[in-house]
Amino acid sequence: MLRLERKWWAEIRSLVIHKNPSFYGITFMSSLDFGWGVLMVFAVLGSSGSYVTGGFIDFEERTSPNEVRKEIEECYKLIHKLGRGVVYLGSSRMGPGHPHYSQTRELGREIASLLDCTTWTGAGPGLMDAAIKGALQAGKPVGGFKIGSEAGEWTTSKFHPYLPSDTYLTCRFFSARKHGLIDTAVRSSNSDKTAVVTIPGGVGTLDEMFEILALIQLERIGSELSVPFIVMNYDSFYAKLLDFLDDCEDWGTVSKGEVSSLWKICDPNSDALAYLAEFYEASMK
């Protein structure tokens, strides 16, 4: 059995007492099983809060699936208002001092000018911010779907530091946010110029990246009108990931050439611009 160290039990005891003072007289033993300890903590905490080092973070609990549905509808309304376009998936941690920030800002400016479309992001800091600023430099519209618990900066506010409030939506639910981000790139007519652009990022970026990749693979996106999917492999950032996908081919978990046919790996920015120009020149014929 896994055991909790005594210091962790002391913290758990403090946590439980903080939540329910009637538990003050309980003695926690380090010999208790880990599973029972966690179960007890969750039983006391219930669903009204989440504990992190330093205190509680309160959050509103979903009381009905309709709340998620309504938030998805709000996402669709914003997309209808601002128009579909290019969605950027990338790190919230790589700030203005990082070389990928300046590359992303340049890319955001050049693609916005090339396709004359709305730039969409998670409305967070880091490389998302770089793409936004690039599009604004080009004088093109931007939109976003913010989440309250983004890694990096701006985590304690529901508001973006400089975007007008009618250009982004702060989502309570990750599922609604994903619906919004994905739908921004879905082409409804041949005149729509959209794209998915993955820039360097972490777990959240990979989550969104592979969900969209699977939807394209299964023809849930782009079955009638293809959507260009670009991966910016700055400084070989995704090289090991691409090697892993090659290994998947060797193991037979994906077919030969299957993944490479679904996206375009680019570095530098000029590769992405040339690919998009060629893609939409061909699609207009």
Side-chain angles (χ1 to χ4, degrees):
M1 285 284 190
L2 291 171
R3 311 288 183 179
L4 284 179
E5 297 289 343
R6 186 176 296 274
K7 64 178 181 180
W8 292 112
W9 278 114
E11 186 169 355
I12 288 175
R13 182 176 184 275
S14 298
L15 166 61
V16 173
I17 292 170
H18 176 89
K19 185 67 178 178
N20 191 334
S22 65
F23 280 77
Y24 184 83
I26 289 180
T27 300
F28 290 91
M29 303 298 294
S30 61
S31 60
L32 288 175
D33 292 336
F34 175 79
W36 283 109
V38 172
L39 192 61
M40 181 179 290
V41 170
F42 276 99
V44 174
L45 288 181
S47 57
S48 60
S50 173
Y51 181 74
V52 294
T53 302
F56 286 86
I57 297 176
D58 292 327
F59 60 87
E60 298 178 73
E61 185 181 4
R62 182 185 66 202
T63 57
S64 167
N66 286 332
E67 295 180 45
V68 182
R69 178 182 57 80
K70 289 177 181 178
E71 190 164 276
I72 292 172
E73 289 175 353
E74 291 301 312
C75 291
Y76 289 161
K77 288 179 183 178
L78 185 62
I79 295 168
H80 180 74
K81 174 185 173 183
L82 298 179
R84 290 183 169 89
V86 178
V87 58
Y88 290 83
L89 315 173
S91 173
S92 62
R93 302 174 192 260
M94 293 178 173
H98 199 285
H100 293 167
Y101 185 96
S102 57
Q103 288 174 292
T104 301
R105 184 176 57 196
E106 177 189 347
L107 182 68
R109 182 180 66 249
E110 296 297 331
I111 290 181
S113 297
L114 175 68
L115 300 186
D116 190 23
C117 66
T118 304
T119 292
W120 291 92
T121 70
L127 299 189
M128 290 179 282
D129 182 55
I132 291 170
K133 287 181 175 175
L136 291 176
Q137 287 175 353
K140 303 302 179 182
V142 299
F145 298 105
K146 193 178 184 303
I147 197 75
S149 56
E150 192 71 66
E153 307 169 34
W154 312 343
T155 58
T156 59
S157 174
K158 294 182 179 180
F159 304 102
H160 193 279
Y162 60 83
L163 287 179
S165 60
D166 60 349
T167 62
Y168 69 93
L169 177 69
T170 300
C171 298
R172 289 173 57 199
F173 307 110
F174 270 95
S175 54
R177 187 198 195 199
K178 280 189 175 183
H179 271 278
L181 289 172
I182 291 170
D183 194 67
T184 60
V186 175
R187 297 174 65 204
S188 59
S189 70
N190 198 49
S191 61
D192 283 338
K193 293 182 179 180
T194 72
V196 177
V197 179
T198 299
I199 43 188
V203 173
T205 300
L206 292 173
D207 173 39
E208 295 158 353
M209 173 185 185
F210 278 96
E211 179 163 0
I212 293 176
L213 183 69
L215 291 171
I216 293 175
Q217 178 194 38
L218 298 173
E219 297 185 346
R220 298 298 191 271
I221 295 176
S223 58
E224 294 185 9
L225 294 169
S226 298
V227 176
F229 191 170
I230 294 173
V231 177
M232 298 308 302
N233 192 29
Y234 292 145
D235 299 319
S236 299
F237 182 88
Y238 285 115
K240 291 183 179 179
L241 175 62
L242 298 173
D243 288 344
F244 165 74
L245 293 172
D246 288 340
D247 290 341
C248 288
E249 290 187 358
D250 295 337
W251 283 101
T253 54
V254 297
S255 300
K256 291 288 185 182
E258 181 179 11
V259 174
S260 61
S261 69
L262 301 176
W263 59 22
K264 176 71 173 177
I265 310 301
C266 296
D267 182 25
N269 288 346
S270 57
D271 288 351
L273 294 167
Y275 172 70
L276 287 172
E278 182 180 353
F279 181 93
Y280 280 108
E281 182 179 354
S283 69
M284 296 300 175
K285 292 180 179 179

